[in-house]
Every structure is written in structure tokens, then in C-alpha cells.
Amino acid sequence: MRIVQLANLYSPVSGGLRTAVDMLGTGYAAAGHQRALVVPGRDYTRHRRENGMVITVPGPSVAPGYRLVLDPRPVLRVLSGLRPDVIEVSDKATLTVAARWARRRGVRTVLFSHERLDAILSPHTPKWFPLEATADRVNRHLSQAFDAIVVTSAFAAAEFARIGARSLHRVPLGVDLDTFRPLPAPECSAVRLVHLGRLSTEKRPDLALATVAALKKRGTDVHLDLVGDGPLGPKLRAWARRERLPVHFHGHVGDRSKVARLLAHADVALATCPIESFGLAVLEALACGTPVVAADRGAAHELLTPGAGLGVAPTGPSFADGVERVLSLPPDHRRATARTRAEGYPWKTTINGMLDVLTPQ
């Protein structure tokens, strides 16, 4: 089977989307399928790698490290040359035109929904805007255009279930259980927290600093490793300096093994985003044996079980309460429970689930 993956905003700093696309593509190739990936870049390039062909088409920069295909015609020309049996689209914007191209040629299309539309747009629209109705209208169009839609969580499925979308499939993501694994914790008197994610408004990294501030006010010796970068970086650094918060800003860390060490050495990971459509960073923390305190809305808290973490209201004091509750559990118990939970999400299961959806009926 010739599988072509299309993705916008795919870059070394695009976190979960890039990880999912790469792991799935590698899995498709390992299963004996021909796989190609088409993403935006500075100009046309074509590279053959172990997990298949990677092609870039012109796409302007829309944010530091991110590019977007604005003119999809070059993508359609590439598709004509690749002659796919199935197209997997990780985008709800310009690349969705591939569905119309494919239908005229009898090619199966699958939309991989990496975000919930109404949740993503909510912070950027006024209260009077008919957000739900607008999202429903777009999602109806997507449901009719694609042969199948894949979501990763109950939260992500809700917007499509609301409109009665046909051929909706839930395929949770996986985690690299070899890279992300428990490690001996270094001796440290402070409570070590870690937050992994883009420093942008919708991700709510401010809650991580607010958690530190609340714990510090309660007399807790605490330290936060903040891993990631983004537009809120300068503001958060200024806040930490002003309030003398014990926060280490690591910026973007491209080395996955270093990220794994930071997660494994923490006592608790914080997942602050209230609109997360899955929570891959949560799964990576759990795989490292690190329990998680997550926002009780969005999808991240769906990954947690008693002992592996808990969901709390998205406020600094609530997250601080959550950290204290998690730390009240015996360390060996909470770490073993976290790892056991992650072991239920191997990438092999995700890849097999996606291949079931991709295979033309």
C-alpha cells in the first residue's frame, strides 16, 4: 500500500504532531508499506530516508520554527507523481483540498485530527462569536470530505460526535517505552517539578509558575524545570525573576533522551493545557515513572489513573494541592503505577490501529 502523509506546521519544534507523524510513518514502512511525507519547507526538496520519502513544498514561515502551506497546488502536483493508495492528512486548513483531489481519483483519505477546533479557536474569538456553530459547520464539511476521521481521545471525539460524523475512529497515540523509562532519581531535597510544552497562551504555562509560587508560599522547597519555548517565554522569565521563583528555563530541547532524563528525574510533571487533544507529554512522563497533575478539562487527564496522577482545576493553588496529594503517596507506588499506565500505550498498537483505518475497504 502506498501511504502519503500530509502535514502542516511540521518542524523540529512542533512537538506532539511531529512525533506522531514520524512514529506512524516509521511504523508503516516497517510493516512493508511505501510511505511518503509531504510537509512545508523553504522550497522543494526530496530526500529518501529509511522510513520513506520526505518531500517539502514551499510554505512561508508563520511563527518561529513553523511553516504553513498556503498554496496547495504544489502539494497536489506531488500527489499526482506519488500515486497514493491512501492519504493521511494532519491538518484542518489548506491541505484538506487533498480530499477532493483524492475522491475524483478513487483514493482513500483519512483526516488525523490533532486538535479540537472549538477549543483551539476559543481563546482567539470574542464571547459573542458563534463558536460552536462555526466549528460544527467546518466539521460537517470535513466529515463529508474525508472517508474517515481519526481522533485520539474522548475530548477530541466530542466535537465530531456532536454532529454525528460518519466513520469516526478513536486511535490513542503511543509512547516510546525505551527512550522514556524510569531512571534512578538524583538526591535532591527540593520537590522537583517539570513542565514540557510550548510557551504559548493556549498551553497555559503560566499555571506551572503559579504552582511554584503557591507551593513556595506554603513553605515548600520546590524547583521547576520548564522545557519548551514560545511567545510567552520573555513574560514568564520576567515573572520568575521578579518573584524569585526557582525555575530553570531550558528552552526547546531537541534531544529526546535529555527530555526523558528531565521527566524521569522529576517528582511530579505538570500538564497545564486545558484544551489538550491527547497529551503525549503526559504519556512520556508516565513512561518515565513520573506521576502527573493535569488540568481537569481537555484530554490529558483521561490518561491518568489513581496513583499515576490526577486532574485538577486550572489554577495555581489547585495544581499545588494536586502536587501535595500526589506526593503523599509512597514514591515506589506512584512511580510503578505511572509506568504501568504508560505501558498500555505502545506505538505498535497505535500503528496497527491506524493501518486498520487507512486500509481501503
Side-chain angles (χ1 to χ4, degrees):
M1 184 165 60
R2 291 189 296 274
I3 303 171
V4 175
Q5 295 174 289
L6 306 181
N8 257 329
L9 304 174
Y10 172 98
S11 78
V13 299
S14 53
L17 182 146
R18 181 187 177 104
T19 299
V21 169
D22 285 351
M23 293 301 294
L24 289 172
T26 298
Y28 301 157
H33 302 285
Q34 297 178 41
R35 175 258 188 173
L37 171 64
V38 183
V39 295
R42 290 183 181 273
D43 47 32
Y44 287 99
T45 65
R46 183 180 291 251
H47 301 283
R48 184 168 296 281
R49 299 176 182 172
E50 289 185 4
N51 61 357
M53 186 74 71
V54 178
I55 301 167
T56 66
V57 298
S61 175
V62 294
Y66 292 89
R67 291 182 178 273
L68 184 73
V69 171
L70 295 183
D71 180 0
R73 288 175 296 181
V75 175
L76 300 182
R77 287 194 291 270
V78 169
L79 287 176
S80 295
L82 292 173
R83 300 176 61 192
D85 296 307
V86 61
I87 302 171
E88 174 190 294
V89 180
S90 291
D91 180 55
K92 292 181 180 178
T94 59
L95 297 179
T96 59
V97 299
R100 187 167 61 248
W101 178 94
R103 182 155 293 176
R104 291 198 297 265
R105 292 160 176 79
V107 175
R108 182 170 174 79
T109 56
V110 176
L111 175 67
F112 199 121
S113 179
H114 290 272
E115 68 286 311
R116 180 165 156 170
L117 193 59
D118 53 2
I120 286 290
L121 294 178
S122 180
H124 308 288
T125 55
K127 291 184 178 180
W128 54 261
F129 184 78
L131 180 57
E132 185 171 303
T134 301
D136 286 352
R137 188 159 54 249
V138 173
N139 287 330
R140 284 192 188 95
H141 169 74
L142 293 173
S143 177
Q144 293 165 3
F146 286 85
D147 296 306
I149 294 174
V150 172
V151 295
T152 55
S153 66
F155 174 74
E159 67 171 346
F160 289 105
R162 191 170 67 211
I163 62 167
R166 61 186 179 86
S167 196
L168 180 63
H169 304 264
R170 184 172 166 186
V171 182
L173 298 180
V175 63
D176 181 347
L177 293 165
D178 294 324
T179 299
F180 295 91
R181 65 188 191 280
L183 297 173
E187 291 188 11
C188 181
S189 59
V191 172
R192 297 189 66 92
L193 306 178
V194 63
H195 176 279
L196 174 60
R198 180 167 163 77
L199 305 185
S200 55
T201 302
E202 71 278 4
K203 297 290 188 179
R204 294 299 310 274
D206 58 294
L207 287 176
L209 271 69
T211 303
V212 171
L215 289 170
K216 183 182 176 184
K217 188 174 181 180
R218 298 176 190 182
T220 302
D221 185 10
V222 61
H223 174 86
L224 170 66
D225 286 301
L226 202 65
V227 184
D229 209 346
L232 289 185
K235 181 179 179 180
L236 296 176
R237 288 180 172 87
W239 179 12
R241 286 194 300 269
R242 184 175 64 252
E243 300 297 328
R244 297 183 178 180
L245 299 178
V247 181
H248 184 179
F249 291 84
H250 291 264
H252 172 69
V253 178
D255 185 342
R256 302 296 284 167
S257 61
K258 183 175 180 180
V259 172
R261 287 195 299 273
L262 289 167
L263 291 172
H265 288 163
D267 296 300
V268 180
L270 305 178
T272 58
C273 180
I275 60 170
E276 198 69 69
S277 63
F278 182 71
L280 187 56
V282 171
L283 209 50
E284 290 170 347
L286 295 176
C288 292
T290 302
V292 179
V293 176
D296 62 359
R297 55 211 67 180
H301 68 97
E302 296 178 25
L303 294 167
L304 303 178
T305 54
L310 48 86
V312 299
T315 69
S318 294
F319 264 80
D321 292 342
V323 169
E324 291 177 340
R325 287 172 58 188
V326 167
L327 292 178
S328 70
L329 300 172
D332 289 346
H333 170 74
R334 64 183 189 244
R335 289 195 172 276
T337 304
R339 175 66 184 188
T340 298
R341 178 60 171 165
E343 288 173 346
Y345 292 86
W347 273 114
K348 181 179 179 180
T349 300
T350 306
I351 293 161
N352 289 339
M354 282 300 300
L355 285 172
D356 286 343
V357 178
L358 292 172
T359 302
Q361 305 302 311

